Amino acid sequence: MEIFKSLDTQAAKDFEKLLNSKLSETKKLEEGKIYDAKVIKISNKFLTLSIPGLKQDPILDRSELKSLNIEDKIKLNSTIPVLLEKLEDKNLDCVVSATKAAKYASWKQIEKKYDNDEPIIVKLISKCKGGLIASHIDTGMLCFMPGSQLSSSRAPVKDVTDLFNEPMKVSIIKLDRVRGNVCISRRQIISANENADKAKLIEAFSIGQVVTGICKSFTTFGAFFSIEDSAIDTMVHLQEITYSRISSCDEVLEINKKYSLKIIGIDKIKSQISSSIKALSPDPFDNMGEFEVGKDYPAVVKKVFEYGLFVELKSGLSALCHQTELGFSRKNINPKT
């Protein structure tokens, strides 16, 4: 130690330079980041690692290697990514974790996929309340799939056992960066594929084309038809069914019956086709010249309201007979009475 009595000696200057370089390397290391650690010693329970810049060699429990299924790959002088949790804990030991490093890397990969709106490949592994648990094939990260996001069908899938452990493409619909939760959807992928196929099929149709459709279902605003010899559905609005006044589709249509339809609109963005039945019939208002004011004509009462009656002069041609025209009484007559 006599050589360090004077700081002007070459040995003192070399020691100072070496000490400063080691301290500067230690300062560059940051907690919460991943570093490649070299395995310098292997025991039954622990690994001794070496990270450039650390003033001590951290210890890693071998149980972490088992959880990552990489225990057989680790040998002397091999490297393993670890997360530097603490440079020094209360016992002045350096704390590192291989499982947290793997989880952090997996999260960054999932996060990148989500930001770029890219799908991922997963396998369903178990059921849970409200949905299913899936494992990301590339990273092993667990993801949650709500039951409503499993299929594009409105009816829930009752038996999902055939889908377990089978690779499937899913879309990331929600990412909770605070809690580290990933929510995925198989439904979005299926719907996107169906829409792409539907867009190609729609190219074969044009406005004004007459097709044959099979009535599938009724709604309050119209009826849905399946175009024959095609996988395309079309909707006929209530006002496009007939020229007559109707309140519901079942007044003039029947389920599973064939009808001729005229395509009146194609929305390529929404992949929808709208059709009309009445467009194939002559407009009754085009021949109004056959009726004259002041003459009597037979009519059929179709609707009764408090303010009057709707009558049909001929097929598709309706007229209103107001309550004041129902009699010569000065009092307003209620047609319903």
Side-chain angles (χ1 to χ4, degrees):
M1 300 295 294
E2 295 296 326
I3 61 173
F4 295 110
K5 287 183 178 180
S6 175
L7 298 179
D8 295 331
T9 63
Q10 185 62 39
K13 292 179 180 180
D14 292 342
F15 179 76
E16 183 182 7
K17 184 178 180 181
L18 179 63
L19 181 61
N20 289 335
S21 65
K22 290 295 181 182
L23 289 174
S24 63
E25 287 179 356
T26 303
K27 290 179 181 178
K28 290 179 182 178
L29 297 176
E30 296 182 20
E31 295 180 354
K33 289 194 174 183
I34 297 176
Y35 298 95
D36 288 331
K38 184 179 180 181
V39 180
I40 59 176
K41 186 178 179 181
I42 300 177
S43 65
N44 292 332
K45 292 185 178 180
F46 301 100
L47 297 179
T48 303
L49 307 175
S50 174
I51 300 177
L54 280 181
K55 60 184 179 181
Q56 60 174 308
D57 297 328
I59 304 298
L60 181 69
D61 196 317
R62 290 187 63 170
S63 61
E64 292 197 35
L65 305 181
K66 292 181 180 179
S67 64
L68 296 173
N69 296 320
I70 59 172
E71 190 175 17
D72 297 336
K73 300 178 182 179
I74 300 302
K75 299 178 181 179
L76 281 175
N77 298 321
S78 62
T79 58
I80 177 174
V82 294
L83 178 71
L84 182 58
E85 295 189 69
K86 290 185 178 180
L87 287 168
E88 287 184 352
D89 62 3
K90 61 181 181 180
N91 298 321
L92 302 181
D93 293 327
C94 179
V95 182
V96 297
S97 172
T99 53
K100 290 183 178 180
K103 187 175 182 180
Y104 179 82
S106 300
W107 178 260
K108 297 303 288 185
Q109 184 176 339
I110 292 289
E111 196 173 39
K112 184 178 179 181
K113 293 283 187 181
Y114 176 73
D115 292 337
N116 295 333
D117 197 21
E118 297 178 8
I120 59 176
I121 307 297
V122 302
K123 285 185 179 181
L124 297 180
I125 57 176
S126 64
K127 291 182 179 181
C128 66
K129 185 178 180 181
L132 301 151
I133 301 297
S135 173
H136 183 215
I137 289 180
D138 292 341
T139 63
M141 178 172 283
L142 298 182
C143 310
F144 173 67
M145 182 187 296
S148 60
Q149 297 298 320
L150 181 61
S151 172
S152 59
S153 174
R154 293 182 180 180
V157 180
K158 295 181 180 180
D159 187 10
V160 297
T161 54
D162 293 339
L163 298 175
F164 272 63
N165 297 315
E166 293 292 331
M168 64 174 63
K169 186 184 292 186
V170 297
S171 176
I172 304 172
I173 57 177
K174 187 177 180 181
L175 207 62
D176 192 333
R177 291 178 168 88
V178 177
R179 298 180 180 179
N181 296 333
V182 182
C183 187
I184 57 177
S185 170
R186 177 172 174 258
R187 178 180 180 177
Q188 282 194 1
I189 299 296
I190 295 174
S191 299
N193 293 336
E194 289 177 349
N195 289 337
D197 294 339
K198 196 173 181 181
K200 292 180 181 179
L201 293 173
I202 286 179
E203 295 292 335
F205 298 94
S206 59
I207 294 178
Q209 182 179 352
V210 178
V211 296
T212 300
I214 302 173
C215 188
K216 294 176 58 179
S217 61
F218 299 145
T219 66
T220 55
F221 52 84
F224 284 96
F225 292 79
S226 176
I227 299 178
E228 199 172 35
D229 300 326
S230 172
I232 297 294
D233 291 341
T234 180
M235 194 203 78
V236 176
H237 197 275
L238 191 66
Q239 296 177 350
E240 293 295 333
I241 294 176
T242 177
Y243 285 102
S244 301
R245 293 179 62 88
I246 58 174
S247 301
S248 60
C249 301
D250 56 5
E251 293 181 27
V252 292
L253 300 178
E254 296 180 21
I255 297 293
N256 295 326
K257 188 176 179 180
K258 294 182 180 181
Y259 295 89
S260 293
L261 312 173
K262 184 177 181 179
I263 297 176
I264 58 174
I266 297 177
D267 190 333
K268 293 184 178 180
I269 297 176
K270 296 182 179 180
S271 298
Q272 294 177 349
I273 295 179
S274 54
S275 304
S276 172
I277 295 176
K278 77 176 188 180
L280 296 174
S281 303
D283 190 340
F285 288 92
D286 291 341
N287 299 316
M288 290 294 293
E290 62 183 276
F291 297 97
E292 296 181 19
V293 177
K295 283 191 176 183
D296 296 334
Y297 297 94
V300 180
V301 177
K302 290 293 184 178
K303 300 287 182 181
V304 179
F305 296 97
E306 291 183 357
Y307 55 84
L309 307 174
F310 278 98
V311 298
E312 190 173 67
L313 297 173
K314 69 175 185 177
S315 179
L317 183 60
S318 299
L320 171 65
C321 181
H322 197 269
Q323 63 180 33
T324 57
E325 299 296 330
L326 295 177
F328 291 99
S329 171
R330 294 184 178 180
K331 294 182 179 180
N332 290 333
I333 300 173
N334 189 346
K336 291 187 176 182
T337 59

